[in-house]
């Protein structure tokens, strides 16, 4: 049976569209260039999220679960590292909220450096309202104001169906139970070490590391 002849060349596979989002390593490098507060307020627990930890959380939310495509809010944004990262990942609208005007001024400067658009609002977390597709945050860990981490989580679950949040590993049992009692579900917990620079007078070392958990939390459908 004559099946004819071919040119001997193979048809090229269809071109795959390049993903415009940065890789996790590229994101870490970009976030590492952003400024942090030189004199943070200990009462507000203004511990900066490291570029490595921020990129890991954003990678989890954006690449692994595709939850950063719509409206995203960063509660307790500080100098904006997570909010700016979400914008770099292609979020449609990003809102960063913080009580400290000095932190927000630096966040605005950082956004200009990164070349992204983020809306910044000075407000207490409890007073924030609206509907969002996802919350990302590095909230206070509750070491100065007891259970402030839980209050942030409570508000986050009111604002969006999915929350990506960073907490001290030592509070895991409490937070997992708190989320369950709030009618939500911890879908994933990823542990890592986070570097904290020498930013407070009581810090004895140039830098220190703490164990943190990165959470994916889903609000259950009613």
């Amino acid at each position: 049976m004559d099946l004819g002849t071919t040119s001997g060349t193979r048809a090229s596979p269809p071109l795959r569209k390049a993903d415009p989002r940065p890789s996790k390593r590229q994101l870490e490098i970009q976030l590492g260039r952003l400024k942090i507060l030189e004199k943070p307020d200990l009462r507000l627990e203004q511990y900066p999220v490291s570029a490595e930890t921020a990129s890991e959380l954003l990678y989890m939310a954006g690449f692994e679960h595709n939850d950063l495509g719509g409206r995203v809010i960063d509660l307790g944004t500080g100098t904006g590292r997570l909010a700016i990262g979400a914008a770099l990942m292609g979020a449609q609208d990003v809102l960063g909220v913080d009580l400290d005007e000095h932190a927000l001024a630096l966040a605005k400067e950082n956004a200009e450096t990164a070349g992204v658009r983020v809306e910044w609002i000075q407000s207490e977390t409890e007073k924030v309202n609206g509907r969002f597709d996802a919350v990302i945050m590095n909230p206070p860990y509750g070491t100065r104001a007891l259970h402030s981490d839980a209050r942030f989580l409570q508000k986050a679950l009111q604002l969006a169906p999915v929350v990506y949040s960073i907490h001290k590993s030592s509070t895991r049992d409490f937070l997992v139970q708190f989320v369950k009692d709030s009618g939500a579900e911890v879908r994933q917990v990823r542990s890592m070490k986070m570097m904290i620079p020498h930013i407070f007078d009581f810090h004895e070392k140039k830098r220190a590391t703490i164990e943190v958990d990165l959470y994916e939390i889903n609000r259950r459908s009613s």
Side-chain angles (χ1 to χ4, degrees):
M1 181 183 296
D2 186 2
L3 299 179
T5 60
T6 67
S7 64
T9 60
R10 294 183 179 178
S12 299
L15 293 176
R16 297 180 63 181
K17 225 175 184 181
D19 193 328
R21 298 174 297 181
S23 68
K24 182 164 63 172
R25 178 57 182 156
Q26 290 170 334
L27 186 62
E28 180 182 343
I29 292 171
Q30 287 179 279
L31 297 180
R33 297 183 180 130
L34 305 181
K35 295 179 181 179
I36 61 173
L37 286 170
E38 294 184 2
K39 295 182 179 180
D41 190 335
L42 183 59
R43 295 170 303 167
L44 299 177
E45 296 189 49
Q46 291 177 321
Y47 292 97
V49 58
S50 70
E52 180 186 17
T53 303
S55 61
E56 186 69 36
L57 185 78
L58 292 163
Y59 186 88
M60 179 195 298
F63 277 98
E64 297 178 14
H65 301 289
N66 291 315
D67 282 330
L68 295 183
R71 297 194 71 214
V72 178
I73 185 169
D74 177 9
L75 297 178
T77 189
T79 58
R81 193 165 262 173
L82 286 176
I84 292 167
L88 289 169
M89 291 283 287
Q92 183 178 356
D93 292 300
V94 184
L95 177 65
V97 180
D98 203 278
L99 184 61
D100 184 1
E101 62 178 334
H102 301 293
L104 287 176
L106 197 51
K108 293 176 183 177
E109 182 181 335
N110 281 336
E112 291 178 3
T113 299
V116 296
R117 180 184 175 279
V118 177
E119 183 180 356
W120 307 103
I121 292 182
Q122 183 181 3
S123 173
E124 295 179 359
T125 296
E126 290 82 359
K127 296 181 179 179
V128 177
N129 293 299
R131 291 184 179 181
F132 298 86
D133 297 300
V135 174
I136 51 174
M137 61 181 186
N138 176 45
Y141 298 146
T143 56
R144 296 288 164 174
L146 190 63
H147 300 328
S148 55
D149 48 353
R151 289 195 293 274
F152 268 70
L153 271 178
Q154 187 176 42
K155 171 53 71 172
L157 289 168
Q158 294 172 5
L159 297 174
V162 60
V163 177
Y164 293 90
S165 188
I166 302 167
H167 300 270
K168 288 186 72 173
S169 297
S170 59
T171 62
R172 185 185 304 165
D173 290 344
F174 166 76
L175 288 177
V176 169
Q177 187 60 50
F178 176 83
V179 169
K180 183 178 179 181
D181 292 342
S182 299
E185 179 183 10
V186 174
R187 297 291 299 274
Q188 184 179 4
V189 178
R190 183 173 301 173
S191 300
M192 65 184 297
K193 294 181 184 294
M194 185 171 77
M195 191 274 288
I196 295 180
H198 185 287
I199 52 175
F200 293 114
D201 292 338
F202 64 84
H203 285 167
E204 298 178 355
K205 298 180 181 179
K206 187 175 181 180
R207 59 179 58 87
T209 57
I210 60 171
E211 295 280 348
V212 294
D213 288 341
L214 281 57
Y215 285 78
E216 176 202 356
I217 302 171
N218 284 31
R219 188 174 63 200
R220 291 177 185 153
S221 301
S222 55

